[in-house]
Amino acid sequence: MITWLNHVAIAVPDLEKAAAQYRLMGADVSAPQALPEHGVTVVFIKLPNAKVELLQPLGEHSPIASFLEKNPVGGIHHICFEVVDVEAASKTVIDIGARVLGDGRPKLGAHGKPVIFAHPKDFQGTLIEFEQT
Ligand code: CO
């Protein structure tokens, strides 16, 4: 079911500083984009084969706030694989004995495409996002 790597998401305490560092290395870095419905401000680093997303908490109930409390300098928050059919991917994740976060049903992700997240304890300690291509 897994096809491409879509992105690696890194939670950062200071988005401008992190974006500037990647620009200094010649990366194609987007302007910051506030996503209030996801509780994050994001910057995309576009590479030929995948993206890196830098995430900074936005608002009081950001899903990455507690992550940054545990990892104050930042850290890899999740990785995202593309799948052809995210509903089928959700079933497969459950069939192989892993947990899908929330009610198991796809939600619209940061790119406007349906996504699910799988429990990090069932994936080698890494939060996994599956995004429909
Ligand atoms: Co993501």
Side-chain angles (χ1 to χ4, degrees):
M1 70 182 204
I2 289 178
T3 57
W4 298 86
L5 174 68
N6 185 279
H7 62 272
V8 176
I10 302 175
V12 301
D14 184 337
L15 192 60
E16 268 184 41
K17 191 175 164 192
Q21 186 179 38
Y22 278 93
R23 281 196 192 96
L24 285 173
M25 295 188 288
D28 178 0
V29 182
S30 76
Q33 193 180 332
L35 301 170
E37 67 277 21
H38 294 284
V40 292
T41 303
V42 301
V43 150
F44 300 103
I45 300 166
K46 288 173 231 154
L47 305 170
N49 57 346
K51 295 184 285 278
V52 173
E53 293 183 7
L54 305 176
L55 311 171
Q56 180 179 264
L58 175 65
E60 291 188 6
H61 305 289
S62 175
I64 61 169
S66 64
F67 180 89
L68 278 172
E69 268 165 39
K70 287 179 223 139
N71 305 276
V73 300
I76 293 179
H77 182 262
H78 66 270
I79 66 173
C80 175
F81 296 110
E82 291 186 22
V83 295
V84 175
D85 179 343
V86 78
E87 301 233 9
S90 180
K91 287 194 189 85
T92 301
V93 167
I94 292 162
D95 285 348
I96 64 171
R99 286 165 285 180
V100 174
L101 299 188
D103 61 10
R105 301 178 63 191
K107 296 190 175 54
L108 276 193
H111 311 116
K113 294 178 174 174
V115 302
I116 58 164
F117 285 90
H119 201 296
K121 287 198 173 146
D122 300 331
F123 280 90
Q124 299 79 44
T126 306
L127 177 62
I128 305 288
E129 179 179 18
F130 297 98
E131 181 180 288
Q132 189 156 295
T133 301

